[in-house]
Amino acid sequence: MTDLPDIEPLLTTLTERVAALAEAEGPARCTLVGIHQGGAWLAQALQQRLGWQEAPGTLDIAFYRDDLARGGLPGAVRPSKMPLDIDDRVIILVDDILYTGRTIRAALNEIFDYGRPAAVRLAVLLERPGRQLPIAADIVAAPIDLAPGQRVKLRGPDPLHLVIEEASP
Amino acid sequence: MSVQLNERGELRHFLTTEGLDPRLLTRILDTAESFAGVIGKSVKTVPLLRGRTVVNLFFESSTRTRTTFELAAKRLSADVLNIAVDTTTTKGESLLDMLRNLQAMQADMFVIRHDQSGAAEYFARHVNPGVAVLNAGDGWHAHPTQAMLDAYTIRQHKGAFEPLRIAIVGDIRHSRVARSQIHALNGLGAGEVRVIAPNTLLPADVDTLGTHVYNDLEAGLRDVDVVIALRLQHERMQGALLPGESEYFRHYGLTESRLRAAHPEAIVMHPGPINRGVEIDSELADGPRSVILDQVTNGIAIRMAVMTMVLGVQPDNPREAS
């Protein structure tokens, strides 16, 4: 069984790196956007730790998935909430795990249906190998390598914690 | 097993609200609610049905219903074909030949309106695996998406169904809308569903529908939370089922003063198009109690939900080449 890292140091690392990125981009231009569900919890935590006023946007990418014919929509699709105007802003897209890259591809497509941001930066808590698309994160709090058949999930929102699940055979 | 469900109890087609599991009915409403957020974007489409082809087959004309199905399909990024059915059928082509030809063009979904009850189910039984059929109204039988958009509008304004008293007023006998509404609202657990009509406009099997029957409008409206006025078809007048439009309005037309018997916050609905001064007074139709325009808006989200659900299920068998 793979050992899980502690969540608190990961959150501290993620916050520091997002703060540095925002400083380089100009904090007033930056908007946090979390991908449901883990990414939305993380974006909320980041907003509090950074002391930003603006509530983060949230995306549920269910309508942008590329596998509808493989099993339909998930049970509950939460409406996406985005700031009214994202044109020329720097979107800091937040997710819990970066794995195949398909979720990020769907999120990028959805973001561009709201407007044309100046840039999209990707911040993730954990990154594991297995990319199926040419997508890379700008910020990673920690890498993780799992055994075949395992997956890692962020649970929350209070407290946020990581779990490893065995994929059903 | 119902032709509209697959072995796992998921929607393969959407033909009727009768007998549907409450969880499935609620799932349709919840999915529609998710789609309501789509119209907040600058690009009001999602790519869920990109590359899919939806064919509107309207054997009976209805500009508004066809338009909302078309708009729903386009919001899902599907390609939409509107077939001039009359032209095709007058060339002597049978319905099944038409269906096979459209399937050969790789249609993924048929939206069918027909004046014969059971027409949509007939199509559903003959389409290829993986092709879906939506009933946009068949004869006196069913109009399930209209019923679900009405249920969605009720939930939007009133919340839970259990405490609600809901009255349906008008030509229950010839109304596929009323029949589908009654099945959907009972399935969703509405506290009490009433029908209010003269005996000539009540169906013979009204006792089996799970409704409370009233001939008197004011008695039927007492303490209700929702009032749904049905459209009165002009041919019912000619069919000697009613003495005339003004006579009908005098006994069954909804007005502000008649609605005083209802709950003070009762809402008023109508599936449209409205015969003003026949089923409902203009002042009431345009007043603060009316949610008629919400029904129109919600119709798009409900149709998006159903289209996604029927095309999101695994076909029972791999799709065959036509």
Side-chain angles (χ1 to χ4, degrees):
Chain A
M1 174 69 79
T2 308
D3 287 334
L4 276 172
D6 290 338
I7 188 82
E8 196 51 42
L10 284 179
L11 281 174
T12 303
T13 305
L14 190 68
T15 308
E16 287 169 357
R17 292 180 182 173
V18 169
L21 183 145
E23 198 53 44
E25 296 283 2
R29 300 175 66 212
C30 293
T31 298
L32 287 168
V33 174
I35 301 175
H36 273 303
Q37 191 157 37
W41 292 331
L42 285 173
Q44 189 76 39
L46 281 168
Q47 184 221 350
Q48 287 168 3
R49 285 165 184 250
L50 293 164
W52 290 5
Q53 294 299 309
E54 187 186 43
T58 56
L59 291 179
D60 189 323
I61 54 92
F63 295 149
Y64 289 75
R65 294 171 67 101
D66 56 13
D67 56 356
L68 178 73
R70 296 187 178 201
L73 283 174
V77 182
R78 293 138 295 214
S80 296
K81 288 181 186 163
M82 289 286 280
L84 280 179
D85 186 3
I86 62 164
D87 284 3
D88 301 322
R89 295 192 63 79
V90 175
I91 301 290
I92 303 175
L93 184 62
V94 183
D95 205 5
D96 47 1
I97 321 292
L98 174 58
Y99 178 33
T100 64
R102 288 177 186 269
T103 298
I104 305 303
R105 182 210 58 93
L108 289 171
N109 283 358
E110 181 161 12
I111 286 169
F112 278 83
D113 278 356
Y114 282 91
R116 185 180 182 280
V120 181
R121 310 292 181 207
L122 178 59
V124 299
L125 197 65
L126 295 173
E127 177 186 46
R128 60 178 291 197
R131 213 77 69 248
Q132 295 169 358
L133 300 171
I135 284 172
D138 297 278
I139 293 169
V140 178
I144 190 167
D145 210 351
L146 300 175
Q150 287 186 330
R151 60 180 185 173
V152 61
K153 300 277 285 183
L154 182 69
R155 301 274 187 217
D158 192 21
L160 287 173
H161 60 285
L162 291 162
V163 294
I164 285 186
E165 296 173 344
E166 302 294 328
S168 43
Chain B
M1 193 182 69
S2 159
V3 69
Q4 73 176 345
L5 303 179
N6 68 7
E7 288 168 357
R8 296 184 298 277
E10 300 163 321
L11 274 187
R12 278 270 292 109
H13 308 284
F14 194 40
L15 309 175
T16 175
T17 52
E18 186 174 2
L20 281 190
D21 186 279
R23 282 173 304 179
L24 191 51
L25 290 167
T26 304
R27 176 98 198 270
I28 295 170
L29 301 184
D30 290 345
T31 308
E33 199 166 317
S34 307
F35 281 118
V38 169
I39 58 172
K41 298 186 304 180
S42 56
V43 177
K44 293 176 180 53
T45 56
V46 293
L48 273 173
L49 300 190
R50 195 157 60 92
R52 309 288 194 105
T53 303
V54 174
V55 178
N56 280 329
L57 270 176
F58 275 53
F59 296 86
E60 188 184 81
S61 69
S62 168
T63 305
R64 182 158 63 175
T65 302
R66 186 186 56 72
T67 305
T68 53
F69 272 106
E70 184 172 350
L71 200 50
K74 286 180 171 170
R75 289 259 167 91
L76 293 165
S77 306
D79 298 316
V80 185
L81 288 176
N82 293 307
I83 303 292
V85 180
D86 287 346
T87 311
T88 314
T89 49
T90 51
K91 287 180 182 168
E93 186 180 38
S94 80
L95 286 184
L96 277 183
D97 280 341
M98 186 200 304
L99 185 68
R100 288 183 186 123
N101 277 308
L102 290 167
Q103 287 190 140
M105 297 175 204
Q106 304 301 310
D108 296 282
M109 181 190 295
F110 294 100
V111 177
I112 293 171
R113 169 170 285 211
H114 204 287
D115 62 2
Q116 295 293 314
S117 301
E121 182 174 332
Y122 177 80
F123 272 82
R125 290 190 183 281
H126 289 90
V127 292
N128 288 342
V131 176
V133 174
L134 301 188
N135 185 2
D138 62 333
W140 297 355
H141 172 239
H143 195 351
T145 56
Q146 176 70 47
M148 293 311 293
L149 76 87
D150 294 334
Y152 182 89
T153 307
I154 292 170
R155 190 173 80 164
Q156 184 180 47
H157 286 272
K158 294 290 175 188
F161 289 97
E162 289 78 8
L164 298 181
R165 293 189 183 97
I166 300 165
I168 306 170
V169 187
D171 185 0
I172 313 293
R173 180 173 166 188
H174 304 96
S175 174
R176 55 196 174 205
V177 173
R179 200 164 277 274
S180 289
Q181 284 167 340
I182 292 165
H183 291 309
L185 292 169
N186 281 332
L188 287 162
E192 185 182 328
V193 180
R194 301 178 182 179
V195 293
I196 308 172
N199 282 329
T200 50
L201 297 183
L202 285 170
D205 63 347
V206 68
D207 294 336
T208 66
L209 290 175
T211 59
H212 298 253
V213 179
Y214 291 83
N215 295 130
D216 181 77
L217 180 64
E218 288 184 33
L221 289 181
R222 194 153 297 136
D223 299 326
V224 297
D225 304 283
V226 179
V227 188
I228 306 172
L230 298 174
R231 176 177 163 76
L232 196 70
Q233 307 287 339
H234 289 290
E235 55 267 32
R236 306 299 168 228
M237 305 294 174
Q238 295 153 5
L241 292 168
L242 287 168
E245 289 183 352
S246 59
E247 183 76 359
Y248 178 84
F249 184 69
R250 197 145 61 84
H251 290 288
Y252 293 98
L254 292 179
T255 62
E256 282 284 1
S257 65
R258 287 223 165 105
L259 221 60
R260 287 198 193 108
H263 188 281
E265 291 178 10
I267 55 170
V268 176
M269 302 171 67
H270 190 295
I274 304 172
N275 293 313
R276 289 170 183 267
V278 179
E279 304 107 18
I280 188 166
D281 187 46
S282 257
E283 193 187 353
L284 189 60
D286 301 330
R289 288 170 179 271
S290 169
V291 296
I292 293 169
L293 290 178
D294 291 346
Q295 291 174 266
V296 179
T297 304
N298 294 338
I300 297 168
I302 281 289
R303 281 151 187 150
M304 288 172 80
V306 176
M307 286 177 169
T308 307
M309 288 171 73
V310 297
L311 287 185
V313 300
Q314 293 266 30
D316 298 330
N317 301 295
R319 183 172 302 181
E320 296 168 355
S322 298

